[in-house]
Amino acid sequence: MNESRFTYFPIIVIVTLLLLLLSAWVQWFFFIFEFDEHELTVKKGIFNKNQLHIPFERIQTITRTIPFYYQPFHVVRMQIDTSGQGKPDVIFDALTIKQANLIEQKRRVAQNSIQKEFETIETTKLQYQVTTKELIVYALTSLGGLGGVVVLFTIWSQVDEMLPKNLKSSFEDFFNHQSVTGLCILFVLTVIVGIFIGFFRIFNRYFNFKIEHQNNNLDISRGFLAHKTMQLKLNRIQTIQLRQTMLRRLVRLASVNVLLSASQDEKDAQTVLIPVASIDKIMTTLKKVLTSIDFDVDHWQVSNIDKAAWYQVRFSVLRNIFIMTLVISVVMFYFPSILQRSYMLLFIIMMVITAILILKNTLTITDQKLGFNQELVYIQRSNGFSKEGYYIRRDKIQGVRESGFITVFRKKALHLDVIVRDGNGHHIIHLRYVPQSTVNHFKQWMNTGL
């Protein structure tokens, strides 16, 4: 910096801070809220006055966030959503814990039609809490380190543009004079740091994750540096999704998400209900958390026809061979020299892709399951190399779609899509080569039950 910039820089910083403080004070001064037994009233605005009345029984979601820099002041950030669209109607940037508890209590009393005084504290019952050991294994099997590496490279690309030229040239000289071994060591160190960042992100997000029952709501709390709580109405749950990645299948762990009737967060249409649980204990845990649902599925149907795995692999391999042949033909026509130099590498890549396709499509059929009881269906399938299971109540199924080429119909089979609601849209569960008799039985169950 030259002398004039250095002289005025502190003045600019101080004036900017004063303007920010003044703006925050004005917003606080003209933001007023009050509530009685029935509704919450919010008044705000300096010249354009706004007054919002929110009946407590209309509140869909209340989300609390307590960043670590809020904790010394014993305040929370609260978002109130009445539309269920994921966009909060009111945001309280700083409420005392006592005020937040009163608002949540008023909402519970109004929605459950319980005539109590607002000072009464309702008892809660702990249903589930993640253990530190399970959370560590979950974080280690999340491949979050890849995201951490991406974050590091993104930060470096931004910082690199702001570095002075002499410092930037010093870094370039350092990297240019490194040997292959030195560069490999730097890359390994970067991956290790990235894995640590990814591990800490997951550990920070789900630390002390616990679920408590509060009448017809689930109170979900979590977080290490920033403690976050959320109230979830049980009647908003559309589908329960069990998910296992390839690594978690090896260590027999699963996570449970719920698809809701409207998105809780615009960035995440799903809500994590159980971040991690042993696959052997997942049913017991679900029964503890969602006591009103019968998860005992004992009426299993044949989920695929004979030779379905062969049909699935054949279709996928032939389709991808056609695509690769088209790409190679274009390369041969426009860049023949590249193909002549790299034909062996191209052959190896094609073999690897074919092996991956065979494994992926074999899992698609072998993981497929379908069973139901009087009011609940369980559907299992593979999504890539991840295994997904869905528990869906009969009245929550939005629709069923059947499809397939004429060759599939000749085998007395169909491709079946089950459509459920997810946020403001829908989620489709694909099943392949399902026997026609199973499809008919499933449709009959949808209409009349067992």
Side-chain angles (χ1 to χ4, degrees), residues 34-98:
E34 57 188 16
F35 54 85
D36 55 21
E37 298 294 330
H38 307 289
E39 68 177 11
L40 171 69
T41 303
V42 178
K43 304 172 184 177
K44 57 183 178 179
I46 303 173
F47 301 106
N48 185 18
K49 299 287 186 179
N50 292 315
Q51 186 165 314
L52 180 63
H53 298 273
I54 303 176
F56 283 113
E57 65 270 12
R58 300 291 179 83
I59 296 176
Q60 295 289 325
T61 306
I62 295 179
T63 303
R64 283 196 201 189
T65 306
I66 312 177
F68 67 92
Y69 48 86
Y70 273 41
Q71 294 174 10
F73 304 99
H74 303 288
V75 295
V76 301
R77 188 173 189 268
M78 177 180 279
Q79 298 181 1
I80 294 178
D81 175 21
T82 61
S83 62
Q85 306 300 313
K87 184 177 180 180
D89 298 275
V90 179
I91 298 176
F92 295 101
D93 287 314
L95 278 179
T96 66
I97 295 177
K98 182 179 179 181

Side-chain angles (χ1 to χ4, degrees), residues 17-28:
L17 289 175
L18 289 174
L19 289 174
L20 290 173
L21 287 172
L22 179 62
S23 173
W25 182 84
V26 169
Q27 290 181 38
W28 169 81

